[in-house]
Amino acid sequence: MTKDSSSSFKRILVHIVLLVLPLVSRSADPDPLQDFCVADLKGSISINGFPCKTTSEVTSNDFFFDGLSREGNTANKFGWNVTAANVLAFPALNTLGLSMNRVDFAPGGVNPPHSHPRSTEAVFVLKGKLLVGFVSTANILYSKVVTPGQMFVIPRGLVHFQRNVGTGKALAITAFNSQLPGSASLPQTLFASKPSIPTDVLTKAFQVDDTVIKHIESQLAS
Ligand code: GLV
Ligand code: MN
């Protein structure tokens, strides 16, 4: 290969990479290959997603879900409850690349810092007043008080939270571009994993002594 043809080959390669990169980063779940694939959650084969229920057994009922119509029980130490409409609760979402949550808050309730490894999240407030925030990988907090009819978006994978800053209850619907976004709650991940993270890792990471770590762990133990 001459010097000229080698550099034009490199240029073409760079162009191809630049063209393909946005396509890769644009998608969350993969696109469906058929109209629908209602999940057979009991299917024995393991694939990326779930196998499809036999089409002749699919009815209108499969595409209907009323699990978000009921208020969640917020009588817990965080004053918050999430009801998920993901593929596990609503199998028709299999392969469709979306899901939703109903998030209820008692006055003062907090949805603790967490992240969704497979999805961006849109928060739509229906009732009350929520402080919604996320922290970027540059460690900058972006936050806003969001009221009924307003939205806030949380980019995929970033740590975020909501706190009810109104006087009464609050309610939000969250939407995800994944059938199963996954959720890693920071308090649970760090202080309630099984087996637990070695205490000396946590004392060093948080620059505290082990009584503090033990105290947090005992508070989070269910
Ligand atoms: C809110 O952050 C949710 O994950 O539903
Ligand atoms: Mn979330």
Side-chain angles (χ1 to χ4, degrees), residues 80 82 100-103 105 111 114 116 121 123 154 160-162 173-176 183:
W80 149 87
V82 63
M100 290 174 126
N101 284 346
R102 170 187 176 126
V103 197
F105 297 84
N111 180 359
H114 64 282
H116 304 290
E121 170 180 327
V123 181
I154 289 141
H160 60 284
F161 61 87
Q162 295 105 25
I173 293 291
T174 50
F176 302 90
S183 186

Side-chain angles (χ1 to χ4, degrees), residues 91-219:
L93 296 180
N94 194 36
T95 76
L96 300 185
L98 89 120
S99 59
M100 290 174 126
N101 284 346
R102 170 187 176 126
V103 197
D104 287 283
F105 297 84
V110 167
N111 180 359
H114 64 282
S115 74
H116 304 290
R118 295 184 286 276
S119 183
T120 289
E121 170 180 327
V123 181
F124 180 66
V125 175
L126 286 170
K127 188 162 82 186
K129 208 191 232 192
L130 285 181
L131 171 69
V132 184
F134 70 85
V135 179
S136 71
T137 55
N139 222 19
I140 296 170
L141 170 69
Y142 297 89
S143 71
K144 195 95 184 150
V145 172
V146 187
T147 56
Q150 300 179 336
M151 283 177 76
F152 197 76
V153 70
I154 289 141
R156 176 176 170 165
L158 298 185
V159 171
H160 60 284
F161 61 87
Q162 295 105 25
R163 173 168 162 75
N164 181 359
V165 291
T167 48
K169 293 176 179 177
L171 171 64
I173 293 291
T174 50
F176 302 90
N177 57 343
S178 169
Q179 64 178 29
L180 195 59
S183 186
S185 162
L186 260 54
Q188 298 295 321
T189 301
L190 293 171
F191 299 102
S193 68
K194 290 198 177 63
S196 50
I197 295 176
T199 305
D200 55 358
V201 172
L202 297 174
T203 52
K204 191 89 169 166
F206 288 97
Q207 297 290 294
V208 293
D209 65 40
D210 53 5
T211 57
V212 177
I213 302 299
K214 294 287 170 221
H215 177 69
I216 299 174
E217 286 175 347
S218 71
Q219 289 297 109

